[in-house]
Amino acid sequence: AIIGSLFVVCLSIMIALPFGLLSGIYLSSFAPKRLKSTLGFLYEILASTPSIVIGLFGLSVTIFLHKYYFHHLLPSLIISALSLSILVMPYLVKMTEVSLDSIPKKIKNIGRSLGATPMQNLFLIELPYATKEIFGAIILAMGRAIEDTAVIMMTGAVAMAGIPTSVFQKYEALPFFIYHISSEYTDKSELNQGFGAALILLLTSLALFVLASIFRKLINKKGIIR
């Protein structure tokens, strides 16, 4: 279950990260005002959507694709990762947009005053300056993904699946294991397993934040983060 949780979280972040960062950059630096307002409103709606709805959406899409196009496609690790990427993407978009919008004008104008193009200024000045906030958004998204139960319950997580060898297989995950064992336990030892899994989930989340903090300090020493 620990390995399954790490698999689905890493895969969902890998899917959501490029779309979330690029969307946030576009909204902050290139989108017209009216389009920026519209897309921002849509992302806020997506962020407020209950996770069970996103799980049902992922399941519905899987059923549709299974019936009409891919007959071997079933709820699996990849479906859970895609659904979780939808769940966490608004965090990445909003934090990226806010971090770029909050950069002081004098910092934004440094590159332009030296003759840099808008793209050069973005990648050489603005994004390095906002790295700390963007990295924080990534950690927030990982924490949101690793604790969710509703999405993975609908899209591929099961109680006894072992370690998956393919993204198209079912898998185990800590949140679903905790839900399963606490709702169907038959004796004290099984209930203790649920508490133990909850402790492991907390420690796993803590480990992610500690690793993120260490990584950020290493980058800070190299002068990439202000």
Short mmCIF file of all heavy atoms in Angstrom, two decimals, residues 11 19 22 29 47 62 65 78 103 121 129 132 141 146 148 172 195 204 212:
data_model
loop_
_atom_site.label_atom_id
_atom_site.label_comp_id
_atom_site.label_asym_id
_atom_site.label_seq_id
_atom_site.Cartn_x
_atom_site.Cartn_y
_atom_site.Cartn_z
N LEU A 11 3.01 9.61 -10.23
CA LEU A 11 2.48 9.60 -11.59
C LEU A 11 1.50 10.75 -11.80
O LEU A 11 1.52 11.41 -12.85
CB LEU A 11 1.81 8.26 -11.87
CG LEU A 11 1.40 7.97 -13.32
CD1 LEU A 11 2.60 8.08 -14.25
CD2 LEU A 11 0.77 6.58 -13.43
N PHE A 19 1.02 20.71 -17.26
CA PHE A 19 -0.21 21.44 -17.58
C PHE A 19 -0.46 22.55 -16.56
O PHE A 19 -0.86 23.67 -16.93
CB PHE A 19 -1.39 20.48 -17.60
CG PHE A 19 -1.34 19.48 -18.73
CD1 PHE A 19 -0.93 18.19 -18.50
CD2 PHE A 19 -1.70 19.84 -20.01
CE1 PHE A 19 -0.87 17.25 -19.53
CE2 PHE A 19 -1.65 18.93 -21.06
CZ PHE A 19 -1.24 17.63 -20.80
N LEU A 22 2.32 25.42 -17.01
CA LEU A 22 2.13 26.16 -18.26
C LEU A 22 0.85 26.99 -18.22
O LEU A 22 0.82 28.12 -18.72
CB LEU A 22 2.11 25.19 -19.44
CG LEU A 22 3.44 24.52 -19.78
CD1 LEU A 22 3.28 23.50 -20.90
CD2 LEU A 22 4.50 25.55 -20.15
N SER A 29 1.13 35.76 -17.59
CA SER A 29 1.99 36.55 -18.48
C SER A 29 1.43 36.82 -19.87
O SER A 29 1.88 37.77 -20.52
CB SER A 29 3.35 35.86 -18.61
OG SER A 29 3.96 35.67 -17.35
N ALA A 47 -11.31 23.58 -8.47
CA ALA A 47 -10.69 23.40 -7.15
C ALA A 47 -11.72 23.11 -6.07
O ALA A 47 -11.43 22.43 -5.08
CB ALA A 47 -9.88 24.65 -6.79
N THR A 62 -13.75 6.05 -18.00
CA THR A 62 -13.20 4.71 -18.17
C THR A 62 -14.24 3.76 -18.74
O THR A 62 -13.95 2.96 -19.66
CB THR A 62 -12.69 4.17 -16.82
OG1 THR A 62 -11.74 5.09 -16.28
CG2 THR A 62 -12.03 2.82 -17.00
N LEU A 65 -14.76 4.63 -22.48
CA LEU A 65 -13.65 4.18 -23.31
C LEU A 65 -13.61 2.65 -23.41
O LEU A 65 -13.30 2.11 -24.47
CB LEU A 65 -12.33 4.70 -22.74
CG LEU A 65 -12.12 6.23 -22.80
CD1 LEU A 65 -10.81 6.61 -22.11
CD2 LEU A 65 -12.13 6.72 -24.24
N ILE A 78 -3.24 3.99 -13.75
CA ILE A 78 -3.16 5.14 -14.65
C ILE A 78 -4.45 5.96 -14.60
O ILE A 78 -4.41 7.20 -14.67
CB ILE A 78 -2.86 4.68 -16.10
CG1 ILE A 78 -2.61 5.88 -17.01
CG2 ILE A 78 -3.97 3.82 -16.64
CD1 ILE A 78 -1.43 6.71 -16.64
N ILE A 103 5.52 39.13 -8.23
CA ILE A 103 6.90 39.59 -8.42
C ILE A 103 6.91 41.11 -8.58
O ILE A 103 6.15 41.66 -9.37
CB ILE A 103 7.53 38.93 -9.66
CG1 ILE A 103 7.59 37.41 -9.49
CG2 ILE A 103 8.92 39.49 -9.94
CD1 ILE A 103 8.11 36.68 -10.71
N ASN A 121 12.98 36.93 -20.49
CA ASN A 121 12.73 37.53 -19.19
C ASN A 121 11.95 36.59 -18.28
O ASN A 121 12.20 36.49 -17.07
CB ASN A 121 11.96 38.84 -19.36
CG ASN A 121 11.95 39.68 -18.09
OD1 ASN A 121 12.98 40.13 -17.63
ND2 ASN A 121 10.76 39.87 -17.53
N TYR A 129 12.92 33.59 -9.87
CA TYR A 129 12.54 34.39 -8.71
C TYR A 129 11.37 33.75 -7.96
O TYR A 129 11.29 33.84 -6.73
CB TYR A 129 12.17 35.81 -9.15
CG TYR A 129 11.97 36.77 -8.01
CD1 TYR A 129 13.06 37.47 -7.48
CD2 TYR A 129 10.71 36.99 -7.46
CE1 TYR A 129 12.89 38.35 -6.43
CE2 TYR A 129 10.55 37.87 -6.40
CZ TYR A 129 11.63 38.55 -5.89
OH TYR A 129 11.46 39.43 -4.85
N LYS A 132 10.54 29.39 -5.30
CA LYS A 132 10.16 28.97 -3.96
C LYS A 132 8.66 28.73 -3.85
O LYS A 132 8.22 27.70 -3.32
CB LYS A 132 10.60 30.03 -2.96
CG LYS A 132 10.35 29.67 -1.50
CD LYS A 132 10.89 30.76 -0.60
CE LYS A 132 10.66 30.41 0.87
NZ LYS A 132 11.19 31.46 1.77
N ALA A 141 0.40 20.06 -3.74
CA ALA A 141 -0.33 19.14 -4.61
C ALA A 141 -0.03 17.69 -4.25
O ALA A 141 -0.93 16.84 -4.26
CB ALA A 141 0.04 19.42 -6.07
N ILE A 146 -1.80 12.47 -1.97
CA ILE A 146 -1.50 11.25 -1.21
C ILE A 146 -2.56 10.93 -0.17
O ILE A 146 -2.70 9.78 0.25
CB ILE A 146 -0.11 11.37 -0.53
CG1 ILE A 146 0.41 9.99 -0.15
CG2 ILE A 146 -0.17 12.27 0.69
CD1 ILE A 146 1.84 9.99 0.31
N ASP A 148 -5.97 11.57 -0.53
CA ASP A 148 -7.33 11.45 -1.04
C ASP A 148 -7.75 9.98 -1.13
O ASP A 148 -6.98 9.11 -1.55
CB ASP A 148 -7.43 12.09 -2.43
CG ASP A 148 -8.86 12.17 -2.89
OD1 ASP A 148 -9.57 13.11 -2.49
OD2 ASP A 148 -9.29 11.27 -3.65
N GLU A 172 -2.82 -1.17 -4.49
CA GLU A 172 -3.20 -0.82 -3.12
C GLU A 172 -2.71 0.58 -2.80
O GLU A 172 -1.71 1.04 -3.35
CB GLU A 172 -2.60 -1.82 -2.14
CG GLU A 172 -3.10 -3.24 -2.30
CD GLU A 172 -2.51 -4.17 -1.26
OE1 GLU A 172 -2.58 -3.83 -0.06
OE2 GLU A 172 -1.96 -5.21 -1.64
N PHE A 195 -5.03 1.87 12.41
CA PHE A 195 -4.33 2.97 13.08
C PHE A 195 -2.86 3.01 12.67
O PHE A 195 -2.27 4.09 12.49
CB PHE A 195 -4.45 2.82 14.59
CG PHE A 195 -5.76 3.28 15.14
CD1 PHE A 195 -6.71 2.37 15.58
CD2 PHE A 195 -6.06 4.64 15.21
CE1 PHE A 195 -7.93 2.80 16.08
CE2 PHE A 195 -7.28 5.07 15.71
CZ PHE A 195 -8.21 4.15 16.15
N THR A 204 4.64 9.33 6.04
CA THR A 204 4.99 9.47 4.62
C THR A 204 4.80 10.91 4.15
O THR A 204 5.65 11.46 3.45
CB THR A 204 4.12 8.53 3.77
OG1 THR A 204 4.28 7.19 4.23
CG2 THR A 204 4.52 8.61 2.30
N ALA A 212 11.30 17.89 0.72
CA ALA A 212 11.10 19.12 -0.03
C ALA A 212 11.87 20.28 0.59
O ALA A 212 12.48 21.09 -0.11
CB ALA A 212 9.61 19.45 -0.09
#
